Amino acid sequence: MKRMIPFGLDQNQFSQRLIRSLEDLSDHSIQCIRGFLLQPIPAAVQSVEFQLFVDAENCGAPSIWAYFVDDNLKSSERSREVALNLDELEEMDDRYFTDFKFSGVNLMADVLKSWFADCWWKAGGGDFGVPAVLDVHDGFGDRRSIQLTK
């Protein structure tokens, strides 16, 4: 049974609890990213844009998708989910996402973005063969991209 992050934490406590939950997934996620990095990149791909999806209503687990930028790819080749088992994160009380003053979706977006970038670099992604960038879909969080490659 999954643990629940109870309502009543302040923003810093919420972020720290989410970080601890993500740390439990880090080793697996680094291995998944290494597997992603070992897959051949089609020659025409110019860059990869990673998009982090967070659910503003907290109805589903967050996800991260890779979008390959190339005009010649078939639509089925343009994107794929990076399987990081984010559905194993602790559940969170819905009020963190419905209380607009608390802004749980923005906090979650920023924590997940930093965590993924850290896992990416630990997996060796800084030397990926094409430029790669990470953004949060729908503009949640601080709205800043993270450049994942050197």
Side-chain angles (χ1 to χ4, degrees), residues 12-82:
N12 185 52
Q13 291 169 324
F14 175 85
S15 295
Q16 291 303 313
R17 183 81 179 256
L18 181 56
I19 289 167
R20 281 196 306 273
S21 186
L22 285 164
E23 286 172 351
D24 292 341
L25 301 177
S26 292
D27 289 341
H28 169 79
S29 297
I30 290 167
Q31 291 304 319
C32 288
I33 293 168
R34 283 186 182 139
F36 178 91
L37 295 169
L38 291 173
Q39 295 176 9
I41 305 168
V45 170
Q46 301 159 1
S47 65
V48 178
E49 296 174 4
F50 289 91
Q51 288 283 319
L52 167 61
F53 290 84
V54 290
D55 183 359
E57 283 82 41
N58 193 31
C59 296
S63 62
I64 298 177
W65 285 73
Y67 292 88
F68 300 92
V69 179
D70 171 23
D71 294 334
N72 297 321
L73 288 176
K74 298 176 190 171
S75 60
S76 63
E77 299 172 322
R78 290 186 189 266
S79 65
R80 78 175 81 126
E81 184 174 7
V82 184

Side-chain angles (χ1 to χ4, degrees), residues 8 11 14 23 35 40 42 48 52 61 64 69 86 92-93 95 97 99 111-112 120 123 137:
Q11 290 180 332
F14 175 85
E23 286 172 351
V48 178
L52 167 61
I64 298 177
V69 179
L86 294 176
M92 294 162 216
D93 189 295
R95 291 174 283 183
F97 302 95
D99 180 345
V111 167
L112 281 163
W120 174 266
H137 189 72

Side-chain angles (χ1 to χ4, degrees), residues 135-150:
D135 283 306
V136 178
H137 189 72
D138 288 336
F140 292 117
D142 64 13
R143 297 183 178 194
R144 287 184 269 185
S145 300
I146 295 179
Q147 187 67 39
L148 297 171
T149 50
K150 297 176 186 176

